[in-house]
Amino acid sequence: MDMVRNRKNQNSKKSNEFIENMPNGEEKSYIESISRVDNLKSDEEPFIESHKTTKEYEYVVPIKGTSSDKLFRISFELDILSINLFIIGLFTRMYKLEEPRNIVFDELHYGKYVSLYMQNTFFFDSHPPLGKQIISLAAHIAGFDGKFKFDKIGSPYSDSVPLFALRFVPSFFGSLLVPTVYHLMLEMGLSQWTSLLAALLFLFDNAFLTQSRFMLMESILVFFSLFGILCLLKFRKYSEEPYSFFWFFWLIMASLSLTCAMSIKYVGFYSCCLGAVILLKDFWRLLAVAKHSDKALFLRFLTQLTSALGVATFVYLSVFYIHLNVLHKAGPHDSIMTSAFQASLEGGLASITKGQPMLVAHGSQITLRHTHGRTCWLHSHNAVYPIRYPDKRGSSHQQQVTCYSFKDVNNWWIVKRPMKDDLIVEQPVDAIKHGEIIQLVHGITSRALNSHDVAAPVSPQCQEVSCYVDYNISMPAQNKWRVEILNRDQFGDSWRTIQSMVRLIHIDTNTALKFTGRQLPDWGYHQHEVAADRHLVQDDTVWNVEEHRYTKTDDQKERERDLVTAEMIPTTATKLSFWQKFFELHYKMLFSNTESIQNHMFSSEPLEWPLMSRGIAYWVSSTSNAQIHLLGNIVIWYSATLGLLLYSAFLIVYLLRRRRLCYDLDPIAWHQFQLTGEICLGGYLIHYLPFFFVDRTLFLHHYLSAFAFKVLLLAATLEHVHFVLKVVFRRRLLAKFFVVGVLVWLVWAVYVFREFSALSYGNVALSTSDILKLKWKETWDFIVHKS
């Protein structure tokens, strides 16, 4: 009770300071609203924290050389309730963790990534790698060799796969999430009972249970997000003790945890934004405190900024440093990277390009790769453009030029200076430099790359690119191109294999050779269109030489034979620095859309998430109707949506009434209500609204980060309703009925959790009637085997 009295004294002091700083017109209304609360008996004070479940121990150690009244104290407290929540979380998450012993949903992808980590083989994923690294560490400790092929959902795991270790990491973080929620609510100033309620809502939600039991990222992501916010709230407690040990400790822990969230999936960036808003708003309040000088505030802001950003930068860079150093071998995903990146990996392209000549010269035989975006090579073949297209437009009827996504002999071109007739590389080498004019002769057909004022086949706003055929009509050859080396400040003015990024500018029309991304119809063999665009500066006009050899003979037949049969002799590997790899990988992660935006049978839209209109079939047994289907606890999900609406209604009413100088809440209660909105409502909106602007396939599990904050808001709103009934309206009996109603509602939520747990664990052989009984909404697409 001493702690309660101390808190009351602190709150009273804060209230007095608040009232003293108010405008004269508002002071009277506040005092009248507070007087009712002050007249309450102590046993009527709402939601006094109970500490019966907390045991506190204190050791008193005398320090030598000091008087007996100066003691060095070491104290800690053991929260039994928090430990019990963690133990129960472990039990629910790890119960029969190896069942089913089959690949479940996205374990297909994450399992492949873990296998590639075990074999040091490069892979590409649009999300940061920290979560996969943590699981891979557990797999390495368990002795996984990475040889298991994660081929399709539902495939059985072999005995060589340490499945418990692979699923242990998400389950452990999912268990930690429960006590983290409990402590987060306590730090927000809510009662212990409300904090316990919030933890139980996380514990008994089927969606969080399902995501925590398998090799998936959401449980790890949500834990780091909420733990980071918890650390920030603890950091705020030391606002009057800047530069103290715990001030730095909690700031660093918050930055570390939130950065870890972002390093698992980029949706964690929204948690970082929420944390930044909390810090900035606190600093904004500090600006109004007269005792802080401008210099002190500036130094404090600079210290917070450098500490938080320094830790975040170190953690984020460390994650990718480990990633790029461990994955040093070529693999199935490296084709999305540039030629230079691929050539820096062991094996793969590196084995082809290591011994290549460096300088591109007159007579060089090259393949030109589209540098950014889709992997494809400048290509031509004997087929010609159709005389007329379906829209009645005419073409040049000359030889087609395309961008082909596979290695092919028709990808080879020979670099030629216009004034030279032969194609042989001379000694010394006649290297091509920035700004020089060249022709590109197709290696197999010996026709030159050409463009003219004819509309491209699929992108009529651009010019057609062809290989020139002399039909002896009034269409002369326009086959000269200027070489512009874009990164010459890094590699010099000479055109270099792999390293130089070039833009080829058509001399006669001042257009750039461009990969349009459009696919050609049947007559173009469904290859990709190449055109010439007047808009020169864009990523799709950037190319680089990937494979390169020098022409040794002027005989066309012999050249063709060399192109088909030549092999390169490896010498030294291409080297890229960490920073070069880091920036290229991020460019690809952020701007290369490798995910399909086509509808998936279990995809859903953000508007469908609050009412859980659609779930996701994760796995179904081949012998029975036992299955795993991602669904949340419908009682909790619908209640959370109602809680969001109720809090919003409270907020609107309070703001309108305060505008009319009607103060329903005392300053402390109003501050508590505001804090709930800033963290819970703000956290929900900042994690939910961006998905309305995402152009990719979305699933229900993308909602879980936002849903976590909505559950917190629900628990806080229930406490506020109780406060309003008991304190504002002074309806104690009604408040007690409300508490009973909440308990009944919680029992109902536990019952629903138990009923749907069969779809979370997947270890019950359900009958067709069992499945149909669980189909509470027509939009839920359960899989039912025909009898």
Side-chain angles (χ1 to χ4, degrees):
M1 292 305 293
D2 288 338
M3 295 180 66
V4 175
R5 281 193 291 271
N6 290 336
R7 180 172 293 178
K8 288 177 65 179
N9 291 336
Q10 293 174 2
N11 292 344
S12 177
K13 183 179 179 182
K14 291 179 181 177
S15 298
N16 291 335
E17 291 175 355
F18 183 90
I19 294 171
E20 289 173 3
N21 293 325
M22 289 181 59
N24 292 332
E26 298 180 18
E27 181 177 347
K28 182 179 178 182
S29 300
Y30 260 112
I31 294 174
E32 289 175 354
S33 68
I34 295 172
S35 62
R36 290 179 299 165
V37 181
D38 290 339
N39 292 329
L40 291 175
K41 295 180 181 179
S42 60
D43 60 348
E44 293 178 326
E45 188 170 8
F47 295 97
I48 293 178
E49 288 190 77
S50 170
H51 294 274
K52 293 180 181 179
T53 59
T54 302
K55 293 184 179 179
E56 186 169 325
Y57 303 89
E58 187 175 82
Y59 294 92
V60 180
V61 184
I63 301 178
K64 292 183 178 181
T66 62
S67 59
S68 60
D69 60 331
K70 292 182 180 179
L71 302 174
F72 175 61
R73 299 173 182 269
I74 301 176
S75 63
F76 66 93
E77 60 179 34
L78 184 66
D79 195 324
I80 297 175
L81 180 55
S82 176
I83 293 174
N84 286 334
L85 286 171
F86 176 60
I87 293 173
I88 298 172
L90 280 175
F91 175 76
T92 57
R93 271 61 182 163
M94 297 196 180
Y95 174 70
K96 295 186 177 180
L97 191 59
E98 294 188 80
E99 295 184 13
R101 198 171 174 85
N102 302 85
I103 298 174
V104 175
F105 194 56
D106 275 351
E107 285 189 334
L108 175 71
H109 303 297
Y110 296 123
K112 285 180 180 178
Y113 297 149
V114 171
S115 291
L116 292 171
Y117 264 122
M118 297 300 101
Q119 300 176 67
N120 305 111
T121 302
F122 179 81
F123 65 84
F124 177 82
D125 183 27
S126 58
H127 293 291
L130 178 59
K132 299 177 278 289
Q133 288 176 350
I134 299 173
I135 296 177
S136 298
L137 177 61
H140 175 72
I141 294 172
F144 182 42
D145 58 11
K147 293 182 179 179
F148 177 77
K149 303 297 182 184
F150 292 81
D151 48 3
K152 64 178 181 178
I153 296 174
S155 296
Y157 285 107
S158 69
D159 293 336
S160 65
V161 179
L163 188 56
F164 183 88
L166 294 174
R167 291 176 176 173
F168 171 82
V169 172
S171 299
F172 178 74
F173 281 101
S175 305
L176 276 179
L177 183 59
V178 180
T180 299
V181 167
Y182 169 73
H183 285 286
L184 175 57
M185 298 295 278
L186 287 178
E187 286 298 326
M188 287 172 58
L190 297 164
S191 72
Q192 192 173 39
W193 293 112
T194 302
S195 303
L196 175 61
L197 174 63
L200 291 177
L201 294 180
F202 274 78
L203 180 66
F204 294 120
D205 180 70
N206 299 80
F208 279 120
L209 172 65
T210 304
Q211 290 298 118
S212 299
R213 283 183 47 79
F214 303 102
M215 206 190 317
L216 307 170
M217 295 293 113
E218 274 66 31
S219 63
I220 313 174
L221 168 68
V222 176
F223 165 76
F224 278 119
S225 294
L226 296 189
F227 184 72
I229 301 301
L230 170 62
C231 293
L232 273 183
L233 295 182
K234 288 183 175 291
F235 166 75
R236 297 172 77 186
K237 290 165 58 176
Y238 294 90
S239 178
E240 297 302 318
E241 303 175 38
Y243 313 113
S244 64
F245 172 79
F246 285 107
W247 187 84
F248 274 112
F249 176 79
W250 290 117
L251 177 61
I252 290 172
M253 288 299 295
S255 179
L256 187 149
S257 184
L258 292 175
T259 307
C260 285
M262 188 177 71
S263 300
I264 292 167
K265 281 191 171 184
Y266 277 127
V267 71
F269 174 72
Y270 304 137
S271 300
C272 295
C273 292
L274 177 63
V277 169
I278 293 172
L279 288 177
L280 289 174
K281 188 162 186 179
D282 273 1
F283 191 79
W284 182 257
R285 289 171 181 155
L286 273 179
L287 293 177
V289 181
K291 69 178 182 178
H292 298 307
S293 67
D294 292 346
K295 181 179 179 181
L297 287 172
F298 175 75
L299 289 175
R300 182 165 177 171
F301 177 78
L302 190 63
T303 302
Q304 287 184 201
L305 182 66
T306 53
S307 298
L309 289 182
V311 171
T313 303
F314 175 77
V315 171
Y316 192 74
L317 290 177
S318 297
V319 168
F320 278 92
Y321 184 82
I322 294 170
H323 181 70
L324 292 171
N325 277 274
V326 170
L327 306 181
H328 55 82
K329 297 180 181 178
H333 297 174
D334 61 3
S335 62
I336 195 173
M337 309 305 292
T338 64
S339 303
F341 194 106
Q342 292 182 64
S344 69
L345 302 172
E346 295 178 14
L349 181 63
S351 65
I352 299 173
T353 61
K354 284 178 184 177
Q356 295 183 151
M358 181 58 68
L359 295 178
V360 178
H362 169 77
S364 287
Q365 299 174 9
I366 63 172
T367 61
L368 276 172
R369 173 184 159 139
H370 176 235
T371 301
H372 302 301
R374 184 180 182 88
T375 301
C376 63
W377 292 265
L378 188 67
H379 177 93
S380 186
H381 40 240
N382 278 317
V384 295
Y385 291 112
I387 297 177
R388 289 199 175 275
Y389 300 118
D391 60 1
K392 307 303 181 183
R393 289 187 297 113
S395 78
S396 67
H397 197 49
Q398 296 195 353
Q399 184 170 303
Q400 296 174 15
V401 173
T402 64
C403 206
Y404 191 44
S405 298
F406 301 94
K407 295 295 184 74
D408 188 89
V409 68
N410 280 310
N411 297 347
W412 285 92
W413 301 79
I414 302 175
V415 178
K416 178 182 180 298
R417 288 192 183 275
M419 71 288 297
K420 293 188 176 182
D421 294 328
D422 64 82
L423 295 175
I424 301 174
V425 177
E426 303 170 349
Q427 293 296 331
V429 172
D430 184 10
I432 306 297
K433 297 183 181 298
H434 171 74
E436 294 188 338
I437 309 300
I438 64 165
Q439 293 172 316
L440 286 175
V441 179
H442 188 239
I444 297 298
T445 63
S446 295
R447 288 174 175 154
L449 187 71
N450 186 82
S451 186
H452 37 224
D453 190 15
V454 175
V458 185
S459 305
Q461 72 276 13
C462 299
Q463 288 182 182
E464 177 191 86
V465 173
S466 66
C467 277
Y468 183 73
V469 180
D470 187 1
Y471 288 124
N472 198 24
I473 57 176
S474 57
M475 187 175 284
Q478 300 179 45
N479 54 20
K480 295 179 181 178
W481 302 80
R482 184 174 70 252
V483 177
E484 291 189 355
I485 301 175
L486 307 182
N487 55 345
R488 61 186 182 279
D489 57 336
Q490 186 177 3
F491 295 108
D493 285 342
S494 297
W495 190 1
R496 300 169 70 88
T497 305
I498 293 178
Q499 297 172 339
S500 295
M501 296 183 183
V502 302
R503 185 173 284 127
L504 297 174
I505 307 298
H506 188 239
I507 295 299
D508 295 284
T509 59
N510 196 38
T511 55
L513 187 70
K514 175 186 176 181
F515 162 77
T516 68
R518 310 287 295 276
Q519 199 166 21
L520 298 172
D522 291 343
W523 56 258
Y525 307 100
H526 301 289
Q527 296 174 17
H528 286 83
E529 181 188 44
V530 170
D533 195 343
R534 295 186 185 277
H535 178 35
L536 306 182
V537 182
Q538 51 180 307
D539 285 346
D540 286 330
T541 61
V542 180
W543 304 80
N544 67 273
V545 172
E546 185 169 275
E547 295 177 72
H548 179 209
R549 58 179 64 99
Y550 286 154
T551 303
K552 299 177 181 179
T553 176
D554 218 15
D555 182 80
Q556 183 179 348
K557 295 288 186 183
E558 195 168 339
R559 284 203 312 268
E560 291 179 13
R561 192 161 47 249
D562 288 343
L563 287 173
V564 174
T565 61
E567 294 182 2
M568 305 306 298
I569 301 173
T571 55
T572 58
T574 301
K575 299 291 184 182
L576 284 184
S577 68
F578 164 72
W579 292 109
Q580 289 174 301
K581 289 185 176 181
F582 176 80
F583 287 119
E584 179 180 331
L585 182 59
H586 277 74
Y587 181 91
K588 298 293 185 181
M589 290 168 67
L590 296 174
F591 299 109
S592 296
N593 186 12
T594 60
E595 297 190 45
S596 171
I597 59 173
Q598 302 299 319
N599 285 333
H600 186 280
M601 65 180 299
F602 289 105
S603 65
S604 53
E605 297 297 324
L607 282 176
E608 298 177 288
W609 295 341
L611 297 181
M612 203 167 57
S613 298
R614 311 220 42 209
I616 312 172
Y618 274 12
W619 170 83
V620 62
S621 171
S622 58
T623 58
S624 71
N625 282 315
Q627 60 186 276
I628 296 167
H629 200 97
L630 181 68
L631 282 175
N633 187 319
I634 194 169
V635 174
I636 299 175
W637 281 59
Y638 276 56
S639 299
T641 300
L642 291 176
L644 174 68
L645 298 176
L646 183 57
Y647 180 89
S648 302
F650 271 122
L651 180 61
I652 293 170
V653 170
Y654 287 150
L655 290 176
L656 291 175
R657 285 179 58 78
R658 292 173 75 85
R659 189 65 177 167
R660 299 289 297 168
L661 302 182
C662 300
Y663 301 102
D664 303 291
L665 303 178
D666 66 86
I668 298 173
W670 174 244
H671 172 74
Q672 178 65 65
F673 185 81
Q674 281 183 304
L675 182 63
T676 298
E678 290 171 10
I679 295 176
C680 301
L681 180 59
Y684 174 74
L685 295 177
I686 204 171
H687 284 83
Y688 178 50
L689 295 180
F691 283 104
F692 284 93
F693 307 98
V694 171
D695 187 19
R696 54 167 287 190
T697 304
L698 296 174
F699 297 93
L700 184 64
H701 63 76
H702 289 116
Y703 184 58
L704 289 181
S705 291
F707 176 69
F709 286 94
K710 192 161 76 164
V711 173
L712 301 180
L713 182 64
L714 170 63
T717 302
L718 291 176
E719 175 170 320
H720 187 71
V721 171
H722 183 272
F723 173 81
V724 170
L725 292 175
K726 189 173 183 181
V727 178
V728 178
F729 293 146
R730 300 175 66 89
R731 298 291 189 268
R732 297 189 63 191
L733 183 61
L734 189 59
K736 290 181 179 180
F737 276 115
F738 177 76
V739 171
V740 173
V742 170
L743 290 175
V744 172
W745 166 79
L746 180 60
V747 171
W748 184 26
V750 174
Y751 169 76
V752 171
F753 170 80
R754 182 178 177 275
E755 287 294 301
F756 281 85
S757 62
L759 300 180
S760 298
Y761 290 103
N763 57 359
V764 178
L766 302 171
S767 64
T768 301
S769 61
D770 292 332
I771 294 291
L772 295 178
K773 286 178 182 177
L774 293 175
K775 192 173 182 180
W776 290 11
K777 297 189 69 172
E778 288 298 323
T779 54
W780 291 353
D781 298 323
F782 295 149
I783 298 176
V784 181
H785 285 306
K786 293 181 180 179
S787 302

